[in-house]
Amino acid sequence: MLENVRRERRVRAIAFPQMTLVRPVVIDGVGLHSGSNIHMVLHPAEADRGIVFRRTDLVAGGREVSDIPAAFDHVADTTLSTAIGNAAGTTVSTVEHLMAAFSALGIDNALVEIDGAEVPVLDGSSEIFIEKIEAAGLEKLDAPRKAIRILKPVVVEDGAKRAALLPGEGFKLFFEIDFDNEVIGHQEIEADLRDPFFAEDILRARTFCLRHDIEAMWAAGLAKGGSLENAVVVDKHAILNEEGLRYDDEFVRHKMLDAVGDLALSGLPLIGRYEGSRAGHAMNNRVLRALMADRSAWEIVDYAETNRPAISMRGELAAIPAD
């Protein structure tokens, strides 16, 4: 019953008005790459504020030092995660899992106070973010939600890597991966971000790495906080985590999770379709920058008008109109 209620709330949240949190959400955890203990608080924010990260360890320097808009043109690095930064050189990395949770729940406005340079990894997915946010509750704001409708195909390619943003209804995603590893191999998946079951289907998928890559990451000063508690580790022939996988194709599902978080840096919901093939954070940001650089490729629209009739739900759940 509780899961049904949560999904009903998601239908309302992703349908029409701008949304924020009812009350602050406290999250503590370790940074995947830094290994630092991080304290983070998600605060409600007013309409049209968007998502803003604030480094509380740097507030003495003023907002121009401490504040970073969660925006595609503030992406500062895409090495194994997405980091955003400002003109003062302040950064926050590994924002994609939290941004994916905001996007899937339809949260347009929030202030993220964080006392370090990396978002906690938690279990390596977006699941705990979603649970804590939904427990706090979502609040409708007295302001219409706008969206970016994709008008023509925008494609970026780099060898075998490809990322595309295409016209379409709602926001559907397709992703495929191909690893030279017998456990992972070739996987592909298609999903709809506006499906209220998207969180269970996609956002529970954990980050992963190959065992032979771990030492290289350590040598680069990364993955200091990584463990079997927050990542799936794959050897040549086996999964090293005792509990195994959450899904048979958890690897491609997590890559789709990353794409949702990276694309949420558009600042507004996207209306169209995303396709990724062997793409990562860099390609996701490149295709978003390419879209926004071509003013003929998109338009700002009223989100409500792009989502009628009301979103339907699977099984025993009926579509619920906005209040």
Side-chain angles (χ1 to χ4, degrees):
M1 176 62 73
L2 178 59
E3 286 304 309
N4 288 359
V5 170
R6 286 176 174 169
R7 289 164 186 156
E8 290 173 0
R9 288 174 180 167
R10 290 174 195 165
V11 170
R12 296 180 186 275
I14 65 178
F16 303 122
Q18 290 186 39
M19 304 290 292
T20 189
L21 305 161
V22 170
R23 59 180 181 271
V25 175
V26 177
I27 297 172
D28 293 291
V30 66
L32 174 62
H33 295 299
S34 67
S36 301
N37 292 317
I38 303 294
H39 177 70
M40 186 169 71
V41 183
L42 316 179
H43 293 276
E46 65 274 16
D48 299 316
R49 176 72 179 277
I51 309 296
V52 176
F53 286 76
R54 176 172 295 164
R55 288 280 300 274
T56 56
D57 55 324
L58 301 175
V59 292
R63 298 286 171 82
E64 66 276 7
V65 173
S66 65
D67 286 13
I68 310 169
F72 70 94
D73 55 353
H74 281 73
V75 170
D77 189 27
T78 54
T79 305
L80 297 179
S81 71
T82 294
I84 55 174
N86 61 24
T90 302
T91 62
V92 174
S93 66
T94 323
V95 301
E96 60 273 11
H97 299 173
L98 176 58
M99 292 302 298
F102 283 152
S103 181
L105 294 176
I107 296 176
D108 307 277
N109 307 287
L111 173 63
V112 181
E113 291 192 334
I114 185 168
D115 68 355
E118 185 177 15
V119 173
V121 66
L122 303 181
D123 71 343
S125 77
S126 298
E127 182 175 34
I128 297 174
F129 293 125
I130 289 172
E131 289 178 349
K132 287 181 174 289
I133 291 169
E134 290 193 319
L138 308 183
E139 181 179 354
K140 292 193 299 184
L141 298 171
D142 187 20
R145 173 179 286 151
K146 299 296 183 181
I148 297 170
R149 189 204 302 272
I150 300 168
L151 299 177
K152 68 181 187 181
V154 175
V155 181
V156 294
E157 296 180 324
D158 183 359
K161 301 175 183 178
R162 179 181 183 271
L165 289 169
L166 312 169
E169 298 302 320
F171 192 62
K172 296 180 174 62
L173 303 102
F174 168 82
F175 211 104
E176 65 174 343
I177 59 175
D178 196 353
F179 279 73
D180 184 18
N181 176 276
E182 66 181 61
V183 177
I184 304 175
H186 180 269
Q187 298 180 0
E188 61 183 55
I189 192 170
E190 186 157 0
D192 188 339
L193 181 60
R194 305 307 169 206
D195 185 337
F197 291 77
F198 187 87
E200 287 81 9
D201 290 347
I202 303 298
L203 298 189
R204 293 186 65 250
R206 296 161 295 173
T207 192
F208 64 93
C209 67
L210 301 176
R211 182 176 183 176
H212 64 71
D213 290 335
I214 294 177
E215 289 188 4
M217 287 191 284
W218 286 341
L222 301 170
K224 294 178 180 178
S227 74
L228 294 176
E229 299 298 318
N230 55 41
V232 177
V233 180
V234 184
D235 207 344
K236 184 176 181 180
H237 305 290
I239 304 293
L240 300 188
N241 306 63
E242 285 188 13
E243 72 278 14
L245 297 175
R246 292 178 177 176
Y247 313 93
D248 290 341
D249 57 352
E250 186 167 0
F251 307 104
V252 72
R253 290 177 191 242
H254 185 81
K255 296 294 284 186
M256 181 175 283
L257 181 162
D258 282 344
V260 170
D262 291 339
L263 296 175
L265 297 175
S266 59
L268 293 173
L270 295 171
I271 306 298
R273 176 179 173 85
Y274 165 85
E275 294 181 354
S277 179
R278 304 181 185 181
H281 302 295
M283 294 293 287
N284 294 335
N285 186 245
R286 282 181 59 189
V287 75
L288 195 52
R289 286 177 182 265
L291 173 74
M292 302 309 294
D294 184 351
R295 193 60 185 84
S296 68
W298 55 276
E299 65 178 348
I300 302 294
V301 297
D302 187 312
Y303 189 81
E305 294 305 317
T306 70
N307 282 271
R308 299 182 188 277
I311 299 170
S312 62
M313 304 180 76
R314 300 181 202 164
E316 73 280 6
L317 299 178
I320 301 174
D323 292 336

